Structures are given as structure tokens and as C-alpha cells.
Amino acid sequence: MSGNNFTHPHEESSAANAANASSHAHEALVQAHDQHTSRDGGHGEHTHDHSHSSTSTARLGWALAVTGAVVAAELVGALWSGSLSLAADAGHMVVDASGLVIALTAACLTNRPRDARRTWGWARSEVLAAALQAGMLLAISVTVAWEAIWRLMMPREIEAGPMLVVGIVGLVANVVSLAILAGGRDANLNMRAAFLEVANDALGSLAVIAAAGAEWAFGWSYADTVASMLIAALMAPRALSLLRRSLAILMEQVPDSVDVGELRSHMMGIDGVLDVHDLHVSALSSHLVTVTAHVKVSPDTDGASRDRIVHELGECASHHFPIAHSTFQLESPVHAEHEHLEH
């Protein structure tokens, strides 16, 4: 199967026309496959780039190792110093570490081949992973903000020395993790989420360092609480944005990269197309956009013309829009009148 999957309807016609249409359809599909293979570097069937996925998995593994070490150091430092901002950053990094585990698992799942039960494979696992990470970030943001409010009313004594040391260690480790993940941050939504989490960790470490410095130099007892609230404020918007993008994919919302009206206009502009209806555009993952449509053509359209229409529809979808997989049903006006569509 090529990246563009074309479906022809079986309508009433003579046996000769049916045989002729079948022959032309086979030739068109072979040509489309060859063009798609040439364009995508031999990637004829919808699969994942395994070398790229393997690189993403390796990056996530190293980032997880670094993050895990920092989590341990920050938890110890938080218990030693009594710092809420350090505890908040440690909690944030616990979520990030678990998020990296989820991201690593998702990266491994996307390498699994599709089968008869999972015809799209595990492509959507990266979206589920990103949504889960976003939910955890929101939970930790609310927890930290709640504790910070209590500490504003009842300040606690903080040991700035251990807090400062652990904050610096955390910042260095976050910079290392960012360097590891930077090369793959645009691979998919999953990798982008992991990169943003570590970037936010780095900002959290900076907040801890600043709070420790203010506590040590000026004896400002509220510095730690303000820093923890800043960390929560940094986490919440990013978590909401990530959750919104993930839910948009899960709800099969049209991606921002595709204008359905413009797509319909392109399709209607193809010679021989009378109407386009039941047009659906959705994303299976952050980089896999699909389109399906019923296309009305004249009942006199012969097999060669049908093949040309199908080919031009597929070329339109893949060249003018970031659509990787398309399915079109060609039908006569008589067939369209008897359709029972829910949408």
C-alpha cells in the first residue's frame, strides 16, 4: 500500500467497463506507489522511520538517566534544607522522569508493526503519552501552588546552603539533558513534550538558585515560597497547551496545518469532479495526517478518467497539504443519492 490509499466504489456498470476500470486502477496504483516511493525514499508502506525512532529512544534513555540522578539529589536536598521550591522542583522532575519513562515507552511502541487488530499500528501512543504527561504536570502545579499559599501564611526556616548547591547541580544536569534532547525535539509531539519538560526543569533550577541566593544574602524568608509559585506558574500554561494539542488529535480535530475549505476547493478544481462530500481530515499522530472523502463524478466517466481523477486527488492531498494518507471513494450521482451517512 502506498502512502495514499485510494478506494474505488463498485457501481452499476457493464462487465467490460468493470474489467477495464480494474486494469487501469491497478496501473494507477502502481504508478502512485512508484512516485510515493521515489518521493519518500523507499517508504512505500505506512511505517515509522525506525532509525529515527531508535535515535529518539536513545536520547530519551540518556535524558531519563540524568533526570533520575537529579531527582534523587533534589529530594535529599529538599528534606535537608526544608525548601519548598526545591521540593517543588524535585516533584516537577519526578513527574518529568515518569514522563520520560512514558515517552520512552511510547517511542518503543511506535516501532511496533501494525497488524490485523491495530491497522494503524501504535502511532497514537505518542499522543496518549503527551496527554498523560500534561495531566501529571497540571496535578503537580496545583499541589505546589496550594502548599505555597500555606507557606505564605506560615513561613518556615530554610537552609540556603544545601538548597543552592542542589539547585546548581540540577541546573547543570538539565542543561546536559537539553543538549541530549535538542536534536530530536521536532521528531514528534512526544519528543517535543520531553524537551519542553526538561527546559522547564532548567527554569525551575534557576528559580531555586535565585531563591537560595536571596535567602542567603538578604535573609528574605519568602524567597523560597515565591520561587515555588513561579515554578508552578511555569508548569501550568505549558501543561495546558500540551494537553490541548493532545486532545485535539484524540478528538480527531482538523490539524491547524490543513484548511478544509482550501482542500475542498483544490479537489473541486480537478477536471471531472462534480462534488466532494463526507470530507474528513484528522491526525493519527503529530506527523500523520489523513483525509477521506466521497467524490461525485459523472456516470459516463470511464476507467481511465477515474484513474486520472484518483491520481490527481492524491497528488493534491500530498503536495499541497501535509497529508500522508488519503482514501477517496468515487461515485456517480445516483449512488450518492442512496448513501446513508451519519456525518
Side-chain angles (χ1 to χ4, degrees):
M1 181 186 299
S2 74
N4 289 323
N5 178 35
F6 308 131
T7 304
H8 293 273
H10 296 286
E11 302 174 2
E12 297 181 359
S13 61
S14 67
N17 279 342
N20 185 41
S22 176
S23 174
H24 283 295
H26 175 74
E27 294 175 4
L29 285 172
V30 170
Q31 292 174 0
H33 178 277
D34 292 341
Q35 291 177 359
H36 183 77
T37 300
S38 174
R39 184 168 64 249
D40 294 343
H43 189 69
E45 185 174 329
H46 166 62
T47 55
H48 302 280
D49 187 337
H50 292 283
S51 61
H52 188 75
S53 296
S54 297
T55 302
S56 296
T57 301
R59 291 179 188 275
L60 288 169
W62 281 108
L64 177 60
V66 174
T67 301
V70 176
V71 165
E74 288 199 336
L75 286 174
V76 172
L79 292 173
W80 183 7
S81 66
S83 166
L84 177 60
S85 62
L86 194 54
D89 197 44
H92 183 196
M93 293 196 73
V94 166
V95 174
D96 286 354
S98 61
L100 287 172
V101 171
I102 295 170
L104 187 59
T105 303
C108 293
L109 286 175
T110 55
N111 286 331
R112 298 184 63 177
R114 60 184 183 178
D115 54 36
R117 287 183 59 83
R118 299 176 182 84
T119 56
W120 286 109
W122 295 77
R124 191 155 275 185
S125 58
E126 59 138 303
V127 184
L128 293 172
L132 185 55
Q133 291 177 61
M136 291 190 297
L137 283 173
L138 282 175
I140 198 69
S141 299
V142 172
T143 301
V144 169
W146 179 260
E147 179 64 20
I149 292 172
W150 279 105
R151 289 208 177 189
L152 284 175
M153 295 184 291
M154 295 180 291
R156 299 182 185 180
E157 186 176 344
I158 305 298
E159 293 189 32
M163 179 180 167
L164 180 61
V165 171
V166 176
I168 293 173
V169 171
L171 179 60
V172 171
N174 286 324
V175 170
V176 172
S177 294
L178 283 173
I180 293 171
L181 294 173
R185 66 182 181 276
D186 293 325
N188 53 46
L189 191 62
N190 194 34
M191 286 295 294
R192 190 177 303 120
F195 179 82
L196 289 175
E197 284 182 353
V198 176
N200 206 61
D201 283 339
L203 294 176
S205 295
L206 283 173
V208 169
I209 293 171
E215 183 83 24
W216 200 357
F218 308 109
W220 188 29
S221 59
Y222 290 107
D224 178 62
T225 303
V226 171
S228 65
M229 296 181 74
L230 176 61
I231 293 172
L234 288 171
M235 284 191 284
R238 182 171 59 88
L240 287 171
S241 176
L242 181 60
L243 185 61
R244 181 184 60 80
R245 293 199 303 271
S246 301
L247 291 179
I249 293 176
L250 294 175
M251 293 299 294
E252 300 195 10
Q253 179 178 313
V254 176
D256 293 337
S257 57
V258 178
D259 184 324
V260 174
E262 184 180 352
L263 174 61
R264 186 188 298 275
S265 296
H266 274 261
M267 295 172 68
M268 290 292 295
I270 294 175
D271 185 34
V273 173
L274 302 180
D275 186 33
V276 176
H277 64 280
D278 202 32
L279 175 61
H280 298 282
V281 180
S282 61
L284 265 294
S285 65
S286 56
H287 288 330
L288 177 54
V289 181
T290 69
V291 59
T292 63
H294 288 209
V295 181
K296 187 188 299 184
V297 297
S298 170
D300 300 327
T301 305
D302 59 18
S305 297
R306 283 173 174 267
D307 293 339
R308 175 189 56 78
I309 291 172
V310 162
H311 176 70
E312 291 185 13
L313 286 170
E315 291 295 291
C316 171
S318 62
H319 289 170
H320 296 144
F321 303 90
I323 296 175
H325 191 283
S326 54
T327 303
F328 302 113
Q329 175 172 309
L330 271 60
E331 58 193 27
S332 69
V334 174
H335 175 81
E337 292 173 1
H338 292 87
E339 285 187 322
H340 299 284
L341 302 176
E342 292 188 13
H343 301 286

